[in-house]
Amino acid sequence: MKPLSKVFIEEDFFPVSIYNEIVQQMISVEYFPPSKDRIKDHNGSYWHEHILSNNSDVENKVKELIQKKFNFNISKFIQSTYTMVGASDMPRPHTDLKSGATHQCLIYMHGEESTNNGTGFYHKKNNEELELSVHVGFKQNRAILFRSKLWHGSLQPIQKDVSSWRYTFNSFISK
């Protein structure tokens, strides 16, 4: 079995005042289903998103904090979104290679704090089967930085009765 590439986690990513401002913004904006192509790639839609404009204040703050907290230099933001994800019928592990990004920074912003409201990272067990390798629970203001080629997905379908809608900030970035 090939080992899983590194997944970096940072607690208390935003200062509290900035975190609170972003959460208020996130719960007040409109969300839309993803494009038909992305829905097809994921065998259905289990999320809605609000795409941020390039060089928004939030994106610039995230860039500054990724550099500071992860010691990771970003050459380009491909896209940043607020995402609202709900429990779905089945796990949908995927990579983000089609986005054109080399890495993703996923920041848990608002929702029920529980392991099964978080994200799972998978490795290929064989050519057709994926196996869960790492379980990262949902904790507000927790950031996860990982390579776009890693198989990952929401853990909400694992235990639908204890998971809830969650709001995240997603950055698709290039190093």
Side-chain angles (χ1 to χ4, degrees):
M1 170 176 67
K2 185 176 178 182
L4 187 69
S5 295
K6 294 178 181 174
V7 174
F8 299 94
I9 300 171
E10 181 70 33
E11 305 293 337
D12 301 319
F13 184 75
F14 291 109
V16 174
S17 61
I18 293 171
Y19 167 80
N20 288 333
E21 284 178 37
I22 296 170
V23 167
Q24 287 306 306
Q25 184 180 43
M26 291 180 90
I27 61 176
S28 66
V29 298
E30 286 188 83
Y31 288 82
F32 301 95
S35 70
K36 289 180 182 178
D37 288 340
R38 290 182 64 212
I39 291 171
K40 185 179 176 184
D41 287 344
H42 290 85
N43 296 316
S45 176
Y46 56 93
W47 79 98
H48 290 75
E49 61 191 3
H50 177 88
I51 298 172
L52 298 171
S53 59
N54 288 341
N55 292 317
S56 67
D57 290 343
V58 175
E59 189 176 79
N60 289 330
K61 187 62 177 177
V62 168
K63 181 178 183 177
E64 172 192 323
L65 290 172
I66 287 173
Q67 289 171 333
K68 178 181 176 184
K69 295 193 174 217
F70 290 113
N71 193 26
F72 184 88
N73 291 318
I74 298 168
S75 65
K76 180 181 178 182
F77 271 89
I78 306 296
Q79 185 177 60
S80 294
T81 62
Y82 293 156
T83 306
M84 184 175 66
V85 179
S88 61
D89 55 339
M90 63 183 183
R92 289 182 168 90
H94 62 279
T95 69
D96 291 319
L97 289 172
K98 285 187 176 183
S99 71
T102 60
H103 293 78
Q104 184 185 150
C105 184
L106 171 66
I107 307 166
Y108 297 139
M109 297 300 293
H110 182 69
E112 183 81 25
E113 292 191 353
S114 82
T115 302
N116 289 327
N117 215 22
T119 304
F121 291 90
Y122 300 78
H123 69 273
K124 283 198 171 194
K125 190 173 179 179
N126 56 46
N127 285 338
E128 296 181 25
E129 190 177 0
L130 296 171
E131 184 173 71
L132 184 63
S133 297
V134 176
H135 216 190
V136 179
F138 183 97
K139 183 173 184 275
Q140 294 181 143
N141 207 11
R142 173 181 282 166
I144 308 167
L145 180 68
F146 57 94
R147 291 184 181 191
S148 297
K149 68 181 183 181
L150 291 183
W151 289 92
H152 64 281
S154 168
L155 293 170
Q156 292 165 317
I158 292 173
Q159 209 171 2
K160 293 177 198 170
D161 57 328
V162 295
S163 63
S164 67
W165 284 93
R166 71 179 199 196
Y167 292 82
T168 60
F169 177 90
N170 300 58
S171 290
F172 300 94
I173 55 182
S174 290
K175 186 170 180 168

